[in-house]
Amino acid sequence: MTDMGAVYGAVGAVGGALIGAGAAVWGPLLVQRGSSREQKEAEARRRAGEEVERIVQIRSTGRAWQDTLERTVQDLEAGRPVDIDRFDETIGGLEREAAAAAYAAAVDGMWVGLGPAEGDYSPGLVLELLAAGTGQVRAAILRLQSGDIGDDERREACAGPADAVASARSARAQLNARLAERVERILGETMRRL
């Protein structure tokens, strides 16, 4: 009987040593694997956050450009003087910011720059329409600065730019809807509607 106890003891000691050795090897590997998975998840969250930031930048720069054009048209319609140099400086900065935001979105596979239309819609159309509206508003500023202008001539000078700016607003609304859908896909379950 004592021989069997010694055998059981030896088997237990060898088994314990094997379990200890396995734990010494597999434990750190499992911890590393878990850590690697956590790092990958953290990296995915960081990338998603950066993509959302780029989308927000596209939306905010387009909005600032749109708002500037609309306010300028309103000032012209009201007969308020508009400083062409200040307009050019402001719009130039907004155009650069919008273009930079559009190119930054290409990192995520979104092409918001000039490009082919999808059916009746092209993301690039927004930038084209804002640029066209800018040209028309600028021409109206110059035309209305040329002296004493009557109300009829002022309305006529502002009608084209107002229509161009309204077209840009409509295209921006389409783009913003698509960008909002993209944000919902990126954030998925973590996004809550207010």
Side-chain angles (χ1 to χ4, degrees), residues 53-178:
E53 286 177 24
R54 286 187 285 273
I55 290 171
V56 168
Q57 187 66 23
I58 291 168
R59 290 185 65 161
S60 64
T61 57
R63 175 65 183 252
W65 191 353
Q66 178 80 36
D67 288 349
T68 300
L69 292 177
E70 288 177 349
R71 287 185 184 121
T72 303
V73 169
Q74 290 168 359
D75 286 346
L76 293 173
E77 289 172 337
R80 295 181 62 193
V82 176
D83 181 353
I84 190 70
D85 294 326
R86 184 168 179 215
F87 175 81
D88 287 344
E89 182 180 324
T90 301
I91 289 295
L94 293 170
E95 286 175 326
R96 286 186 296 278
E97 288 176 24
Y103 288 121
V107 168
D108 306 312
M110 291 186 300
W111 181 240
V112 186
L114 304 176
E118 296 174 13
D120 64 343
Y121 171 77
S122 167
L125 186 61
V126 174
L127 298 179
E128 291 172 11
L129 290 172
L130 285 169
T134 297
Q136 288 192 29
V137 170
R138 188 175 194 291
I141 293 169
L142 294 172
R143 180 177 174 191
L144 295 173
Q145 283 182 347
S146 64
D148 193 25
I149 305 293
D151 288 341
D152 291 338
E153 190 175 353
R154 179 174 303 286
R155 272 192 296 277
E156 181 186 320
C158 292
D163 290 343
V165 172
S167 293
R169 176 177 283 286
S170 176
R172 273 194 62 251
Q174 290 179 19
L175 175 62
N176 286 341
R178 288 182 178 210

